[in-house]
Amino acid sequence: MRNKIVYFVVFLLLGSFIWYLFIKPYDYSVSITSKTFPGAINQSIKVWGNTNRNTVLLQEKDFLNIDQQLRFNDSIFQYQWKITPVNDSTTKIKIYITDADHSFGNRIKIPFLNTDFEKRTKSTILDFNNALTEHLEKFRVTILDTLQQLPDTYCAYIPIKASQLGKAKGMMQNYPILSTVLVDNNVALNGRPFLEITNWNRKVDSVSYNFCYPIIKSDSLPQNDIIKYKKFEGVRALKAIYNGNYITSDRAWYALLDYAKKNGLEVWERPVEVFFSNPNFGGNELDWIAEIYMPLKE
């Protein structure tokens, strides 16, 4: 009996040793817990990677799994990010790291030495976590528990295509055109400017949208090749209040999608943003206000 126990223990140790050196699909792993929703994490990982010229997005398997390649001098690291919602306000991030060219050597050294690979990995993840923390301090999303009705309105608009990150830039570039033409032609304004997403490609983080200004319809509206006119059809929608720079107002989109899923509501992924602040005036970005609507499927 004693020999069987010894053999079993040896078998387990040998199996663990073989798994660790030859089978385990990563060299090192790190966990982070963050007080936010998965969409903010997803976008933060990709924005952080885009700001580092040595980082390449390999693939986004799905919304919660992202693979990146990071180059440090002569070493190439594979980063696998796994995002897991914990509850309404907390998300866990697990990062699996592999050194593509020195994996076996790292696995031998890691249990006994504080390797350069570990130091580099800890430093890199700390850099990401600091960037994430700083980002989360710069915006707020508050979801209203009651459904809202967006009213019909007639509007002048300019259709725009951009990346999610470039959405606000597209508005800033076209706002002077839209407002100047309307004011110069004495068009009666009838509300706050808003953005209507017409297509949201979440696989590549791109959007098509109409940048709109509500107006009073008349027979003498100015005509050109840029500005168009239409009736915006009101919808019932989920609503969130977003405070922060409008560059990242899409964080509220993800918060609303999470809310809809948890409450069994079907929505169209075509959010509408109504802007109450003029970024040209500057000031504290947390004082900027936008109402974000996610239309319900009726």
Side-chain angles (χ1 to χ4, degrees):
M1 182 65 180
R2 184 178 177 181
N3 287 339
K4 288 184 178 179
I5 294 175
V6 171
Y7 290 149
F8 180 71
V9 171
V10 170
F11 176 78
L12 284 180
L13 290 175
L14 182 60
S16 299
F17 183 72
I18 293 173
W19 175 83
Y20 174 78
L21 283 180
F22 303 106
I23 301 175
K24 190 174 73 165
Y26 58 90
D27 299 339
Y28 197 75
S29 65
V30 181
S31 294
I32 300 173
T33 300
S34 182
K35 294 290 186 180
T36 191
F37 45 90
I41 301 294
N42 174 282
Q43 292 298 298
S44 294
I45 292 171
K46 289 183 281 190
V47 169
W48 173 78
N50 289 336
T51 58
N52 183 346
R53 61 185 180 87
N54 294 317
T55 301
V56 177
L57 176 64
L58 296 180
Q59 65 173 331
E60 185 173 1
K61 298 177 182 177
D62 55 50
F63 184 68
L64 301 177
N65 293 275
I66 300 170
D67 291 353
Q68 291 177 328
Q69 176 182 285
L70 283 71
R71 180 182 294 274
F72 300 104
N73 298 323
D74 62 341
S75 296
I76 298 176
F77 294 175
Q78 310 291 342
Y79 275 53
Q80 294 178 297
W81 303 79
K82 183 175 179 60
I83 305 167
T84 304
V86 177
N87 53 43
D88 290 348
S89 61
T90 304
T91 302
K92 184 175 181 180
I93 315 163
K94 190 82 171 180
I95 309 103
Y96 301 95
I97 306 99
T98 302
D99 185 338
D101 298 319
H102 310 96
S103 179
F104 185 77
N106 283 326
R107 296 189 190 203
I108 293 176
K109 296 175 184 177
I110 284 174
F112 310 104
L113 302 172
N114 187 15
T115 65
D116 290 339
F117 169 71
E118 287 180 278
K119 294 176 184 177
R120 169 63 72 180
T121 298
K122 291 176 181 178
S123 174
T124 302
I125 298 301
L126 179 61
D127 177 72
F128 165 76
N129 194 48
N130 289 339
L132 174 62
T133 300
E134 182 179 352
H135 172 54
L136 297 179
E137 291 172 349
K138 292 182 177 180
F139 75 90
R140 289 194 301 267
V141 177
T142 306
I143 297 179
L144 279 64
D145 286 332
T146 56
L147 300 180
Q148 304 289 314
Q149 178 66 42
L150 263 173
D152 296 347
T153 186
Y154 195 76
C155 65
Y157 70 97
I158 298 177
I160 303 170
K161 292 183 179 181
S163 65
Q164 281 178 226
L165 192 61
K167 168 177 62 71
K169 183 179 179 181
M171 292 189 296
M172 291 177 64
Q173 289 174 335
N174 287 276
Y175 179 78
I177 301 172
L178 189 59
S179 60
T180 300
V181 170
L182 297 179
V183 171
D184 288 351
N185 288 273
N186 298 314
V187 176
L189 304 182
N190 192 34
R192 299 183 180 277
F194 67 95
L195 175 155
E196 173 196 20
I197 298 294
T198 55
N199 182 266
W200 179 14
N201 188 333
R202 292 177 60 183
K203 291 184 178 180
V204 295
D205 295 327
S206 69
V207 290
S208 298
Y209 62 96
N210 297 326
F211 182 43
C212 310
Y213 223 125
I215 61 172
I216 301 297
K217 186 178 181 181
S218 74
D219 296 329
S220 58
L221 294 174
Q223 303 295 320
N224 59 42
D225 294 333
I226 300 176
I227 299 177
K228 303 179 184 299
Y229 304 95
K230 71 166 189 170
K231 178 184 178 182
F232 170 79
E233 301 287 347
V235 293
R236 291 181 74 229
L238 299 175
K239 178 181 178 181
I241 303 299
Y242 172 84
N243 300 100
N245 194 304
Y246 294 155
I247 292 174
T248 54
S249 57
D250 61 343
R251 304 306 186 259
W253 305 356
Y254 294 105
L256 287 170
L257 290 181
D258 282 351
Y259 181 89
K261 183 177 181 180
K262 290 168 184 172
N263 288 275
L265 299 171
E266 290 190 88
V267 295
W268 296 107
E269 294 186 2
R270 297 176 183 175
V272 176
E273 302 187 340
V274 181
F275 305 105
F276 287 75
S277 306
N278 188 336
N280 293 323
F281 293 159
N284 183 354
E285 293 178 354
L286 281 174
D287 292 332
W288 298 5
I289 300 172
E291 293 179 347
I292 313 298
Y293 298 87
M294 190 67 68
L296 291 169
K297 289 184 178 180
E298 299 291 354

